[in-house]
Amino acid sequence: MDPSLDMWDFSSLISLWINRFYIYLGFAFGFSLWICFQIVIRKQNKNSQEKTVPKASRDLMTNGYISLQKKEVFVSGVKIFYGSQTGKAKGFATVLAEAVSSLDLPVAVINLKEYDPDDHLVEEVTSKNVSAFLVATYTDGRPTESAEWFCRWLEEAANDFRFGKTYLKGVRYAVFGLGNSAYVSHFNKVGKNVDKWLWMLGAHRVMSRGEGDCNVVKSKHGSIEADFTAWKARFISRLQALCKGERKPCGGNCKKGKCESNQHGSEAMEPRSHAQEGFHQRDAEQEEPFGSTSEEESGTEDHQSLKSVIDVEDLGKIMDRMKKEKREKEQQEGETSLIRSTVKNEAGERRAMITPALREALTKQGYQLIGSHSGVKLCRWTKSMLRGRGGCYKHTFYGIESHRCMETTPSLACANKCVFCWRHHTNPVGTEWRWKMDQAEMILKEAIENHQNVMKQFRGVPGVREERFEEGMTVKHCALSLVGEPIMYPEINRFLKLLHERKISSFLVTNAQFPAEIRNLKPVTQLYVSVDASTKESLKKIDRPLFKDFWQRFLDSLKALAAKQQRTVYRLTLVKAWNVDELQAYAKLVSLGNPDFIEVKGVTYCGESSASSLTMANVPWHEEVVRFVCELVDLIPDYEIACEHEHSNCLLIAHKKIMTRLGKKSVFSSSSPAPLLEPWRQQLEVGMESSSPAAICLGSARAAPGQDK
């Protein structure tokens, strides 16, 4: 072996070892280039494959295996609702159905007279149907007879906080209204209202509202038939796009640069003139673009606002905030003016309690206002019992038939601003009567007439039982608990006397701030006192009374209740984390007033309000209410649990003398709490010229919400 060769091999190895890091680096660099090359090659192959394979046969590729993708259905069918008086809307509905059928979509034509929205409208939320509403405007801007019930239900639902702004979220709809522009003040009013109310309940408008005009002079297309044909063509085009899963093409103005549309297709944007017109015609209370589609609301700005500093998408929030501040300011001014008493007002003519603004707000909430300070409203339990469903807790506890009950008040004013007020403090406040006063005879007469007029609208409504309807037209019970403080009305005793002369029983509720009036009150069928808290601090926090000496007035009212020779009730409203831990204090208050009954109810959340900080977290579960009642009964040995109404989250505690007189046992102490529905009727013997029947029903109410008890 050559020594020089051995020396070279050794020196080469030494050199390689010294430069090993450069060698590693070269290998790494080469490997990286190879990986990049493979990625580019695969990407090119994928792109070429997508171009050559038809879209209809392209499958989802996963780990080299092919899995067939189930075809998604974007529109399962179309429902066409119509409300017609002369048959025009019905004819249009038939024509539209034929056009929809050409798209191979299931279609149903429905007469609104035969449709029950209370049971079926919410089903459209998950049905993937598209609903078309063809509604005509009849005399004086009213809906046709066939659509009257549907429109009334929709209006009440849109203005009822219990339904909420997302009740119909998921429903897709379009509206075509039939009207005559010769009647300028209410041209296509019904179509506009249906569009608005559906939008307020969270439904999704798929295209702008169509308006047919019988006035050929002003009709946009020359006749109402031509107006409908143009709208129908747009509707069919929109329906085809929805069937493909397409949405409105992006206008390039999506918020924060995020495009919410998956389509970049050929569908043209609808003219913005409708959206602009709808924007300027916004309702005074509801901020919503009547003429725009839901897609336009979320993704397209008005051309005139491009140079504005404010994004049009934020304009609604800004206007809502401004309106909210304005309402709060007006409310504060109104309260100040009501509480303030000056010599000038004393000397001059007294003002009406119901101002024009207050009248507008309460009318929108469904009140039938009477005179200058009274009102009546149909209770939802009345509607429920008309259909043969369950009644309210008064039906379960005392035998009151809900469909024959009238809820009213002779005074909309109140001396408290309770955090759980159902009316969001739209009613006036005051500590004494300083308004014009209507006569009791007129109030009762118009209250019954207004109640009956509203009841008449249920004749022929799907589900309403004829015998219940006939019975409901005769008022047998009056709940003086609608809103406000009825005991403030100076002629309350006269009003009660008139009720009893008509054989109408009376339940009167007071907020325990008028002890003198309680002492002077003539006997009623049942007298309630609201005991919303058991300590001075919690009462101030929950009821927010106007009187400075509110606590003493509260205690004096309970003492006055104990002296009444008639049926008396404490009504406790439990607000979680506010007044549910005051059991000992509640027990002391019970001994102070010694009521015949104690109703304990969980607070009802009335929606977000600037006047209250309550949330759903403050609403106790029914099990929590039951536990509170059981613990309270342990502290008041003269009482026991008599009944419950789980649907209303309410329990009844009765004095043992009442239970002994009835020969009943507590349903909670019985091994089989079967309903005990034998009514107990008594005659009021003190101070009444005529008797007032009052049924007391003690039993269990664990029936289903929709079942008669």
Side-chain angles (χ1 to χ4, degrees):
M1 182 178 294
D2 190 351
S4 61
L5 183 61
D6 293 338
M7 182 62 68
W8 184 87
D9 291 339
F10 181 76
S11 61
S12 298
L13 291 175
I14 294 297
S15 177
L16 288 174
W17 176 255
I18 294 174
N19 299 298
R20 65 186 183 280
F21 295 107
Y22 297 103
I23 296 174
Y24 297 159
L25 183 61
F27 276 115
F29 181 73
F31 186 69
S32 300
L33 286 177
W34 181 80
I35 291 176
C36 293
F37 180 75
Q38 292 296 324
I39 292 175
V40 171
I41 293 298
R42 291 191 179 187
K43 188 173 182 181
Q44 290 177 348
N45 292 337
K46 184 178 179 181
N47 291 339
S48 62
Q49 181 183 7
E50 290 180 352
K51 291 179 180 179
T52 57
V53 179
K55 182 177 180 180
S57 60
R58 188 180 305 151
D59 298 316
L60 182 65
M61 304 296 296
T62 306
N63 298 327
Y65 294 93
I66 299 178
S67 60
L68 294 178
Q69 203 173 16
K70 186 178 180 181
K71 184 178 179 181
E72 184 176 358
V73 177
F74 296 100
V75 177
S76 60
V78 177
K79 289 188 177 180
I80 304 173
F81 301 89
Y82 70 89
S84 182
Q85 192 71 28
T86 63
K88 181 74 71 175
K90 181 179 179 180
F92 285 168
T94 303
V95 173
L96 183 61
E98 293 175 355
V100 172
S101 298
S102 65
L103 302 179
D104 294 329
L105 284 174
V107 60
V109 179
I110 302 172
N111 186 350
L112 287 174
K113 184 177 182 179
E114 302 169 354
Y115 185 74
D116 188 351
D118 200 19
D119 289 336
H120 302 299
L121 189 56
V122 73
E123 296 174 359
E124 303 303 320
V125 171
T126 57
S127 67
K128 290 189 177 182
N129 287 327
V130 174
S131 301
F133 294 88
L134 279 57
V135 288
T137 300
Y138 198 41
T139 308
D140 297 328
R142 298 196 306 269
T144 60
E145 294 179 3
S146 60
E148 188 173 7
W149 162 245
F150 176 82
C151 291
R152 176 166 292 277
W153 181 92
L154 201 60
E155 180 183 14
E156 291 180 354
N159 292 288
D160 191 334
F161 67 87
R162 289 169 294 197
F163 284 86
K165 297 180 180 180
T166 59
Y167 181 71
L168 296 181
K169 186 177 181 181
V171 174
R172 295 179 290 180
Y173 76 96
V175 176
F176 181 81
L178 294 80
N180 193 324
S181 60
Y183 302 95
V184 180
S185 59
H186 49 257
F187 172 56
N188 259 314
K189 183 177 180 180
V190 175
K192 294 175 182 176
N193 284 339
V194 169
D195 189 16
K196 177 180 69 173
W197 295 328
L198 288 169
W199 183 90
M200 291 170 61
L201 289 169
H204 183 83
R205 186 189 297 111
V206 298
M207 62 178 291
S208 58
R209 183 184 64 253
E211 294 187 348
D213 192 352
C214 290
N215 187 354
V216 295
V217 177
K218 293 187 178 181
S219 173
K220 186 175 181 181
H221 300 91
S223 67
I224 191 171
E225 290 80 5
D227 292 336
F228 171 72
T229 301
W231 179 85
K232 181 189 69 174
R234 291 193 294 116
F235 178 77
I236 296 299
S237 175
R238 186 77 188 105
L239 198 57
Q240 290 174 327
L242 290 173
C243 289
K244 297 176 183 178
E246 298 176 352
R247 299 185 60 184
K248 282 287 183 181
C250 179
N253 297 313
C254 294
K255 195 170 185 179
K256 297 182 180 179
K258 296 181 180 179
C259 181
E260 297 180 0
S261 174
N262 294 324
Q263 179 207 5
H264 302 281
S266 60
E267 184 180 354
M269 291 294 290
E270 295 195 19
R272 292 298 298 171
S273 59
H274 294 289
Q276 294 170 5
E277 178 184 358
F279 178 79
H280 292 296
Q281 292 178 352
R282 285 173 184 257
D283 184 81
E285 292 296 328
Q286 299 294 336
E287 293 293 328
E288 55 97 1
F290 293 120
S292 66
T293 66
S294 297
E295 291 89 345
E296 288 166 346
E297 291 163 16
S298 64
T300 305
E301 296 179 357
D302 192 288
H303 296 304
Q304 297 179 356
S305 66
L306 293 176
K307 296 181 181 180
S308 174
V309 177
I310 301 175
D311 189 339
V312 71
E313 293 178 329
D314 298 325
L315 187 58
K317 296 180 180 179
I318 295 174
M319 294 185 69
D320 284 341
R321 184 166 61 250
M322 293 174 63
K323 288 171 66 64
K324 183 178 178 181
E325 293 174 354
K326 182 179 179 181
R327 286 196 299 266
E328 291 177 351
K329 183 178 180 181
E330 290 177 351
Q331 179 183 339
Q332 292 174 357
E333 292 176 352
E335 292 174 357
T336 304
S337 63
L338 290 174
I339 299 172
R340 187 189 303 120
S341 100
T342 62
V343 177
K344 181 178 180 179
N345 286 338
E346 287 290 335
E349 183 180 358
R350 293 190 173 188
R351 61 179 176 270
M353 181 186 294
I354 304 177
T355 63
L358 180 60
R359 182 176 297 275
E360 181 182 358
L362 293 177
T363 301
K364 192 167 186 177
Q365 295 178 31
Y367 287 86
Q368 303 294 319
L369 300 179
I370 304 166
S372 63
H373 54 73
S374 308
V376 64
K377 186 178 182 182
L378 201 65
C379 175
R380 72 183 183 95
W381 289 108
T382 301
K383 304 174 189 177
S384 174
M385 208 162 190
L386 281 173
R387 299 182 176 211
R389 302 174 182 177
C392 74
Y393 69 92
K394 291 192 289 291
H395 170 63
T396 303
F397 293 174
Y398 314 111
I400 298 299
E401 297 174 302
S402 303
H403 66 296
R404 308 182 77 176
C405 174
M406 176 179 69
E407 191 175 19
T408 186
T409 180
S411 171
L412 292 166
C414 187
N416 289 346
K417 295 189 292 182
C418 303
V419 295
F420 50 75
C421 178
W422 280 47
R423 317 306 168 190
H424 291 305
H425 311 108
T426 51
N427 56 306
V429 292
T431 57
E432 57 182 313
W433 191 272
R434 293 189 177 276
W435 301 278
K436 293 179 181 178
M437 187 180 70
D438 300 324
Q439 294 301 310
E441 290 82 358
M442 184 274 288
I443 296 174
L444 180 57
K445 178 176 178 293
E446 292 196 15
I448 294 177
E449 289 177 355
N450 278 280
H451 177 79
Q452 290 175 337
N453 288 336
V454 177
M455 290 284 290
K456 289 177 182 177
Q457 298 172 5
F458 285 84
R459 184 186 295 273
V461 169
V464 172
R465 295 185 179 180
E466 184 63 27
E467 68 277 8
R468 292 281 177 92
F469 176 80
E470 296 300 333
E471 291 175 352
M473 292 301 294
T474 302
V475 178
K476 298 299 293 181
H477 177 72
C478 180
L480 294 166
S481 59
L482 178 61
V483 68
E485 180 65 82
I487 207 170
M488 284 182 68
Y489 176 51
E491 294 294 327
I492 185 62
N493 284 326
R494 174 64 180 163
F495 184 82
L496 292 170
K497 182 179 179 182
L498 294 172
L499 279 175
H500 299 150
E501 286 176 353
R502 289 174 176 253
K503 306 295 184 181
I504 299 176
S505 57
S506 55
F507 279 17
L508 186 146
V509 180
T510 177
N511 288 319
Q513 289 297 295
F514 296 92
E517 285 75 4
I518 292 177
R519 285 190 288 267
N520 297 329
L521 187 70
K522 298 295 183 181
V524 297
T525 308
Q526 194 152 284
L527 178 59
Y528 283 75
V529 169
S530 294
V531 182
D532 300 327
S534 59
T535 65
K536 182 177 181 179
E537 293 73 20
S538 58
L539 185 68
K540 182 178 181 180
K541 181 180 179 181
I542 294 174
D543 278 3
R544 299 188 293 191
L546 272 61
F547 285 106
K548 293 183 179 179
D549 57 340
F550 66 91
W551 182 246
Q552 189 57 49
R553 284 177 169 272
F554 178 76
L555 296 178
D556 290 344
S557 295
L558 300 185
K559 294 175 183 177
L561 192 75
K564 304 296 289 185
Q565 298 297 316
Q566 63 169 86
R567 293 246 302 276
T568 56
V569 185
Y570 274 12
R571 186 169 70 173
L572 277 62
T573 301
L574 301 185
V575 185
K576 197 172 180 179
W578 284 32
N579 64 356
V580 295
D581 300 322
E582 305 170 354
L583 286 166
Q584 291 289 346
Y586 275 120
K588 293 180 180 179
L589 293 181
V590 171
S591 63
L592 190 64
N594 195 30
D596 296 314
F597 300 101
I598 304 171
E599 293 178 5
V600 184
K601 185 179 186 298
V603 68
T604 300
Y605 179 61
C606 306
E608 184 180 356
S609 170
S610 59
S612 173
S613 59
L614 283 185
T615 67
M616 280 298 297
N618 298 114
V619 180
W621 294 95
H622 185 66
E623 292 76 7
E624 294 174 314
V625 177
V626 172
R627 182 167 60 251
F628 176 92
V629 169
C630 292
E631 293 176 358
L632 178 61
V633 168
D634 290 340
L635 300 176
I636 45 177
D638 292 335
Y639 293 83
E640 60 184 70
I641 302 173
C643 190
E644 70 171 334
H645 192 268
E646 190 169 355
H647 191 115
S648 297
N649 199 10
C650 183
L651 279 84
L652 178 68
I653 302 173
H655 200 287
K656 288 183 177 179
K657 65 181 181 182
I658 301 293
M659 302 295 285
T660 302
R661 185 174 180 180
L662 293 175
K664 306 292 183 183
K665 293 184 179 180
S666 169
V667 298
F668 281 79
S669 62
S670 173
S671 58
S672 59
L676 304 175
L677 298 179
E678 301 173 5
W680 171 63
R681 299 184 177 273
Q682 69 169 9
Q683 302 289 333
L684 294 181
E685 301 174 351
V686 183
M688 279 193 184
E689 297 181 5
S690 61
S691 61
S692 295
I696 298 183
C697 177
L698 300 176
S700 174
R702 291 185 178 272
Q707 177 184 346
D708 272 338
K709 305 175 182 61

